Amino acid sequence: MSLSSKLPHQFNLIRTFVNAKVKWVRDPYLDTAVLKEKDLKQVIALKNQIISSPSKSLSMYTASPLKDPLNLPNTTTKFVNNYRCVFTQFQPTSAFLPHVKLTPQALSVHNEEMSVHNSSDNRKDTVQRLTRFLMLAGMRQLPLYVIDKLKWDLGLPHDYVTTLLADYPDYFDVCGVEDPSSGKELLALELISWRKELSVSELEKSAMGLDYSGDKRRHDIVFPMFFPKGFDLQKRVSTWVENWQTLPYISPYEDAFHLDTNSDQAEKWTVAILHELLSLLVSKKTERRNLLSYGQCLGLGSRFEKALVHHPGIFYISNKLTTQTVVLREAYRKDFLVKKHPLMGMRYSPMFGKIHPSPAGTLAPEKLSSLKSNNYAGKESSGLANDIKSETIAATRIQTAFRAYKARKTLRLLKGVTKLKILTQGYSVKKQANTAITYLHSWSNIQAEIRARRLCMVTEDRIRRKKLESQLKLEAKIHDLEVEWCGGSVTMEETLGRIHQREEAAVKRERAMAYAFSHQWRANASQSQVLGNYEVSKANWGWSWKERWIAARPWESRVPSISINLPKKAQISPSSKVQKDKSTSKPQTPAAVKTPTNAKGTSPLGNAKGTTKARRLSYPTTEKTVVHEGVQ
């Protein structure tokens, strides 16, 4: 069986792309071809909006919101002012806002463009290209929003739905399809019947010549590759490309989704679809996002991205015009199209004023581009180098060189002045900075001292209040004790004995607390050094009144005494008390006093609970008291 008689799916040669990075090299000629259409699409889009209005004009109020839908580079007013040879502003009456309309020259070019669109040959060619566009990858339906994105590149009229599709009901039909991502219903263009005679790619036509037929297929077709100057593939990448070219060619109009997505056969089929798609466009180039949008509808979005990167000799990606434009390399020689469509002759015109049909019957090439290049009203540009005198060119070059020299000289002077200012002002600036930093440090120290002094004052006030509260509590305890003793039935000796017992217990507790506190205070002495510079009195800083009182041990150098108002028959004079003290050789301590008991054997001082709760009693250290013993 011969090679050409096999079907594409019967080839099982599968290879994978080598793991190598294909570098991107700039092509200045193709970048120039892309730059020729700068703002041209926006100019024609705004022109179509003006022509579509009944009055053939738009008010600036109505044209302002068109900035985003038409993708204008700036506001509508600035855009209109930048292209005065295409648009002109006028005011119908003083009561109306300014309006914009086409200039007579732009209107003349528009009429010629419409004559190209309405010609029978161009309409037939447009219908065939649109049919093949729908037949790619075996598809028959395509959403209208995808066609609208490629409408400019396909050369369709701006109102193609009403002016073109309605005249060919046996080819196209508008139907509704469901969007797989959102689930909404979208309008789509459907192909009525498959046109087998049109399912022949441009590569197959060029390979088979004029004797091509839809029944005969060739699978030994290779893709023409053109690399820019300075571009060189790595050895392993070059070897892979050579082997990849020997794979059988699969027509882009066939359904080859059964192939493995990672196989080279599937990639060659994807490249064939991209090649045929760009060949159907009148400009042989389009924006990269438009291709990816079309690929997503076919289910080949990721394959399109890989194919554009893997084959720089077939497709060129330009980064001009703030977007990425994919260009078919074989369709251009430097920055000129090899086969120019009549609509491309309307779009690229070196001059606007001279519009003459070519000898072949087509319009003069590149006319609408002159509308874009003439940016000022009343300015005429020939666009030809032959019309400019040699003296004018020489004068322009001399002026340019002189202005460049003056600019360089001015720049050097500015740099010298700047260096001089830096040298002269550097010392003064440094001195001001040092002075400001010194002042900041001084103010910071003053504020720290003020905050510390305020903290000391607050601490002293708190200590003073605690002393006053403690003194008041002590006096209240003494008063309560006097009232309790005076109102009870026990003798003074019994009361004093209880007081001594309470004080002995209190002394033991206070000594233990003082010992523990002294060790704790010594361990934390380093933490209290911060406030040591601001103490008011070194004798009392860091100690509370109770801690100082415990450390002083005032109970060891005094004898407690209580001034008690005894009954008249129990009171004795101080003189008799002194005599009694002298007569007794051994003083009677409170512990030797016998506590009287009642008949039941309990103390008469006992309350309902049986015992009297001992109270802690402390006296100031400065008082000298005398113990009054009870009268027997």
Side-chain angles (χ1 to χ4, degrees):
M1 185 181 292
S2 63
L3 181 65
S4 60
S5 61
K6 291 185 179 180
L7 296 177
H9 66 274
Q10 294 178 348
F11 294 96
N12 296 321
L13 299 176
I14 297 176
R15 290 187 293 269
T16 56
F17 183 73
V18 293
N19 188 16
K21 183 178 179 181
V22 180
K23 65 178 181 179
W24 178 86
V25 177
R26 179 176 176 268
D27 193 330
Y29 294 109
L30 295 182
D31 285 341
T32 304
V34 173
L35 285 174
K36 287 181 180 180
E37 291 190 4
K38 182 181 180 181
D39 295 342
L40 183 60
K41 184 177 179 180
Q42 290 80 2
V43 168
I44 295 181
L46 182 58
K47 182 261 299 181
N48 293 332
Q49 290 288 335
I50 296 174
I51 293 296
S52 300
S53 63
S55 61
K56 307 301 179 183
S57 64
L58 288 177
S59 65
M60 296 306 298
Y61 178 81
T62 306
S64 296
L66 297 177
K67 177 181 180 301
D68 293 333
L70 301 182
N71 196 20
L72 301 182
N74 43 36
T75 61
T76 307
T77 304
K78 292 183 179 179
F79 189 77
V80 169
N81 292 332
N82 289 340
Y83 300 103
R84 297 181 182 177
C85 284
V86 185
F87 311 105
T88 180
Q89 296 188 32
F90 70 99
Q91 191 168 3
T93 58
S94 58
F96 289 93
L97 294 174
H99 283 59
V100 59
K101 65 177 181 179
L102 296 180
T103 60
Q105 295 173 336
L107 190 59
S108 175
V109 174
H110 168 73
N111 294 331
E112 292 191 14
E113 181 187 7
M114 293 308 298
S115 64
V116 173
H117 280 298
N118 295 329
S119 63
S120 59
D121 296 339
N122 182 75
R123 287 171 66 88
K124 184 179 179 180
D125 177 68
T126 303
V127 170
Q128 290 181 357
R129 284 188 290 105
L130 185 58
T131 302
R132 295 166 63 187
F133 182 74
L134 295 174
M135 292 170 59
L136 286 176
M139 297 288 290
R140 290 193 179 187
Q141 294 179 349
L142 199 64
L144 285 178
Y145 75 89
V146 178
I147 301 177
D148 290 338
K149 291 181 179 180
L150 293 165
K151 177 177 62 175
W152 163 266
D153 300 307
L154 284 170
L156 300 176
H158 68 281
D159 53 350
Y160 70 96
V161 177
T162 57
T163 59
L164 185 66
L165 301 183
D167 295 340
Y168 295 89
D170 53 337
Y171 276 82
F172 311 107
D173 186 21
V174 178
C175 62
V177 294
E178 183 178 357
D179 188 5
S181 59
S182 62
K184 297 181 180 179
E185 186 176 1
L186 302 174
L187 290 178
L189 186 62
E190 182 182 10
L191 188 65
I192 298 297
S193 60
W194 185 269
R195 306 285 175 171
K196 188 176 181 180
E197 68 277 6
L198 298 178
S199 61
V200 181
S201 65
E202 294 294 328
L203 277 179
E204 291 176 325
K205 290 180 181 179
S206 60
M208 293 184 293
L210 299 178
D211 299 332
Y212 70 89
S213 174
D215 297 332
K216 296 180 181 181
R217 299 289 184 183
R218 290 185 59 181
H219 300 287
D220 56 345
I221 301 175
V222 297
F223 291 95
M225 291 189 176
F226 300 89
F227 295 100
K229 186 177 181 181
F231 187 88
D232 187 15
L233 289 175
Q234 298 183 14
K235 184 177 180 180
R236 52 180 176 174
V237 178
S238 178
T239 304
W240 176 84
V241 171
E242 293 177 359
N243 296 331
W244 179 80
Q245 288 279 33
T246 60
L247 292 176
Y249 175 82
I250 304 175
S251 175
Y253 298 101
E254 295 181 10
D255 186 359
F257 285 98
H258 59 279
L259 296 175
D260 186 7
T261 56
N262 295 325
S263 63
D264 288 348
Q265 290 90 344
E267 184 167 348
K268 191 163 186 179
W269 177 62
T270 305
V271 172
I273 295 175
L274 282 171
H275 186 278
E276 184 67 14
L277 175 59
L278 291 174
S279 299
L280 295 177
L281 306 180
V282 295
S283 59
K284 312 304 179 185
K285 63 180 182 296
T286 186
E287 295 183 7
R288 182 171 176 267
R289 56 189 176 187
N290 296 339
L291 288 180
L292 297 181
S293 178
Y294 180 77
Q296 290 176 358
C297 294
L298 300 181
L300 303 173
S302 59
R303 297 191 192 183
F304 277 16
E305 292 183 357
K306 294 179 181 179
L308 292 175
V309 176
H310 290 173
H311 303 279
I314 304 175
F315 312 109
Y316 174 71
I317 301 177
S318 175
N319 296 323
K320 298 298 182 180
L321 303 180
T322 66
T323 186
Q324 290 186 341
T325 305
V326 181
V327 185
L328 186 62
R329 284 187 179 273
E330 64 178 273
Y332 283 85
R333 292 295 178 267
K334 292 187 176 181
D335 56 336
F336 298 100
L337 274 171
V338 177
K339 295 180 180 179
K340 189 175 297 183
H341 193 273
L343 286 177
M344 295 304 296
M346 297 295 302
R347 293 178 181 178
Y348 301 107
S349 174
M351 57 180 299
F352 175 79
K354 300 178 180 179
I355 303 177
H356 300 289
S358 62
T362 59
L363 294 174
E366 303 176 347
K367 292 181 179 178
L368 284 178
S369 178
S370 65
L371 299 176
K372 183 174 64 67
S373 61
N374 296 334
N375 295 337
Y376 301 98
K379 179 180 178 181
E380 296 182 358
S381 174
S382 62
L384 300 176
N386 296 332
D387 296 340
I388 303 176
K389 296 181 179 181
S390 59
E391 293 83 356
T392 305
I393 296 176
T396 303
R397 291 179 179 177
I398 293 172
Q399 290 177 0
T400 302
F402 179 74
R403 289 171 183 171
Y405 165 75
K406 294 289 290 184
R408 289 192 297 269
K409 186 176 180 180
T410 305
L411 181 61
R412 286 195 296 269
L413 290 175
L414 290 176
K415 288 182 179 180
V417 172
T418 304
K419 291 181 181 179
L420 182 61
K421 286 183 179 180
I422 292 174
L423 293 175
T424 55
Q425 296 179 0
Y427 174 75
S428 60
V429 171
K430 187 184 296 183
K431 185 177 180 180
Q432 291 177 2
N434 293 334
T435 306
I437 292 173
T438 304
Y439 287 160
L440 288 176
H441 283 299
S442 301
W443 278 108
S444 178
N445 295 334
I446 293 171
Q447 290 177 357
E449 292 178 1
I450 292 173
R451 285 195 294 268
R453 180 59 183 166
R454 288 179 179 175
L455 181 61
C456 292
M457 293 174 64
V458 171
T459 306
E460 291 176 359
D461 184 63
R462 189 177 299 147
I463 293 172
R464 194 181 302 110
R465 290 181 182 178
K466 287 184 178 179
K467 285 183 179 180
L468 182 59
E469 291 176 359
S470 301
Q471 186 177 358
L472 293 176
K473 289 181 181 180
L474 182 60
E475 291 178 358
K477 286 182 180 180
I478 295 173
H479 179 69
D480 293 341
L481 185 60
E482 291 176 355
V483 172
E484 180 182 357
W485 185 83
C486 293
S489 59
V490 296
T491 62
M492 183 177 67
E493 290 82 359
E494 296 173 353
T495 305
L496 292 176
R498 293 177 182 177
I499 291 173
H500 278 286
Q501 292 177 0
R502 295 174 185 173
E503 287 193 349
E504 286 176 1
V507 165
K508 293 179 180 179
R509 290 195 303 271
E510 290 172 352
R511 283 182 179 178
M513 293 175 60
Y515 179 78
F517 178 80
S518 63
H519 283 274
Q520 182 180 6
W521 181 79
R522 288 172 186 173
N524 299 330
S526 60
Q527 298 179 2
S528 61
Q529 289 179 0
V530 179
L531 298 176
N533 297 331
Y534 304 100
E535 60 184 1
V536 180
S537 175
K538 293 183 179 180
N540 60 359
W541 184 258
W543 296 72
S544 66
W545 65 274
K546 182 173 66 175
E547 296 161 357
R548 295 196 304 273
W549 182 78
I550 291 173
R553 300 184 178 183
W555 55 84
E556 296 181 353
S557 61
R558 63 174 176 75
V559 179
S561 68
I562 304 175
S563 59
I564 303 173
N565 296 328
L566 298 175
K568 291 183 179 181
K569 57 182 180 180
Q571 292 181 358
I572 59 174
S573 63
S575 60
S576 62
K577 179 177 180 291
V578 174
Q579 292 174 3
K580 185 174 180 62
D581 293 336
K582 290 179 180 181
S583 63
T584 58
S585 61
K586 185 178 181 180
Q588 184 179 2
T589 62
V593 177
K594 183 179 181 181
T595 305
T597 58
N598 52 14
K600 297 182 180 180
T602 59
S603 175
L605 292 176
N607 51 13
K609 297 182 181 179
T611 58
T612 305
K613 185 178 180 182
R615 296 190 179 183
R616 181 178 175 182
L617 184 62
S618 300
Y619 297 92
T621 59
T622 57
E623 296 182 0
K624 295 182 180 181
T625 58
V626 180
V627 178
H628 294 276
E629 296 181 355
V631 180
Q632 295 180 353

